Amino acid sequence: MDFNFNTALLIHFGALFYIVAFLIRDELKLRLMVLAGSAFYLLYYYLFPDIPLWDAIITTCILVFANLIILFRISLERTVFALNTEEKALFEYFEGFTPGQFRQLLKFARWTTAETSVALATENQQLSNLHFIVDGTVVIKKGDNEFLLEPGNFIGEIAFVLNRLPSADVIAQQGARLVTWDAAQVTLLMEKSPAFKNAIVALLSRDLADKLATSVRVEKLTNSVPTI
């Protein structure tokens, strides 16, 4: 049985995929639909005329290449496969962050391991950095009282979110593994992206709430509620 396929249908299929793409809000799906439409156009340009329309084919290939670049960037923003093991472990603590937002923070994160005891915050002194405890021991001192802060906690989130001075000394013990950000750089990212601002405020607020809950339990023993 002979089967005659009307190659002109390819142009209609391509146009259909383009129209559907323009109706989709999700950028990843939009780009995939554009690629599918471009594939039909390429088939049409090659099969329909007696001589392939090479100018149109080359132009469409350039558009396909541009879309592939954007797709790669979108994939980076939505996946963690490009992160190393330590970065992936840190990302687990950043609830509410997209991989892309997390990568923005990583661009100016400083990873350090304390070779000796290091002061991260001093009572009633301005704090310009935001720290995160990855591993090791960090001690909070308030007067004669002190307690340990476990890995997975921020240092300086109260000063950052509430614009308050630290009410306790915070000291990282030798061997503590920390990630540090300049608070001014975090603020700049927040000003540029409302979505990033919402994510960081929500994250630090949760950390603050957990820390205050812990402080209440500590208060029963020490009669002090240090804030950092």
Side-chain angles (χ1 to χ4, degrees):
M1 181 177 65
D2 294 333
F3 176 74
N4 295 320
F5 178 74
N6 185 358
T7 53
L9 290 176
L10 294 173
I11 209 73
H12 299 305
F13 285 133
L16 177 62
F17 275 97
Y18 271 33
I19 292 171
V20 173
F22 294 139
L23 296 175
I24 296 175
R25 298 183 62 181
D26 185 281
E27 189 174 5
L28 177 61
K29 295 178 180 178
L30 184 154
R31 298 287 177 176
L32 290 173
M33 295 298 288
V34 169
L35 284 176
S38 296
F40 281 106
Y41 278 118
L42 286 172
L43 289 173
Y44 174 82
Y45 295 146
Y46 185 78
L47 297 175
F48 184 72
D50 294 332
I51 300 176
L53 302 177
W54 292 112
D55 288 342
I57 289 173
I58 292 172
T59 300
T60 304
C61 286
I62 293 173
L63 293 175
V64 167
F65 181 71
N67 269 285
L68 288 174
I69 292 175
I70 300 301
L71 276 172
F72 177 74
R73 294 177 58 183
I74 294 173
S75 297
L76 282 180
E77 291 177 356
R78 298 190 180 187
T79 61
V80 298
F81 69 84
L83 301 179
N84 62 39
T85 301
E86 193 170 38
E87 291 169 343
K88 288 179 181 178
L90 179 62
F91 180 63
E92 294 296 322
Y93 292 100
F94 282 69
E95 182 181 350
F97 272 66
T98 66
Q101 291 171 335
F102 181 67
R103 284 189 179 86
Q104 288 181 301
L105 275 178
L106 284 180
K107 289 180 181 178
F108 55 92
R110 304 192 303 274
W111 296 75
T112 58
T113 300
E115 297 182 359
T116 61
S117 295
V118 179
L120 303 180
T122 303
E123 185 177 0
N124 295 325
Q125 290 189 15
Q126 189 68 41
L127 190 61
S128 59
N129 290 322
L130 186 64
H131 306 277
F132 184 85
I133 309 170
V134 176
D135 194 18
T137 303
V138 174
V139 178
I140 298 180
K141 294 184 178 181
K142 175 69 174 179
D144 295 329
N145 301 309
E146 64 178 57
F147 67 94
L148 301 180
L149 196 59
E150 298 178 349
N153 282 285
F154 282 93
I155 301 295
E157 81 287 353
I158 294 179
F160 185 81
V161 175
L162 302 181
N163 195 27
R164 291 172 52 181
L165 295 176
S167 64
D169 296 331
V170 183
I171 301 172
Q173 302 300 300
Q174 183 178 10
R177 183 69 167 159
L178 305 165
V179 185
T180 301
W181 294 272
D182 186 310
Q185 290 180 304
V186 178
T187 300
L188 185 60
L189 280 178
M190 293 169 62
E191 292 174 350
K192 291 181 178 180
S193 171
F196 179 87
K197 179 179 179 179
N198 293 336
I200 193 70
V201 170
L203 175 68
L204 296 180
S205 297
R206 285 194 298 270
D207 185 85
L208 173 57
D210 292 341
K211 194 171 295 178
L212 288 177
T214 301
S215 297
V216 170
R217 293 194 294 270
V218 172
E219 183 184 19
K220 296 178 181 179
L221 300 175
T222 65
N223 295 318
S224 67
V225 184
T227 58
I228 49 177

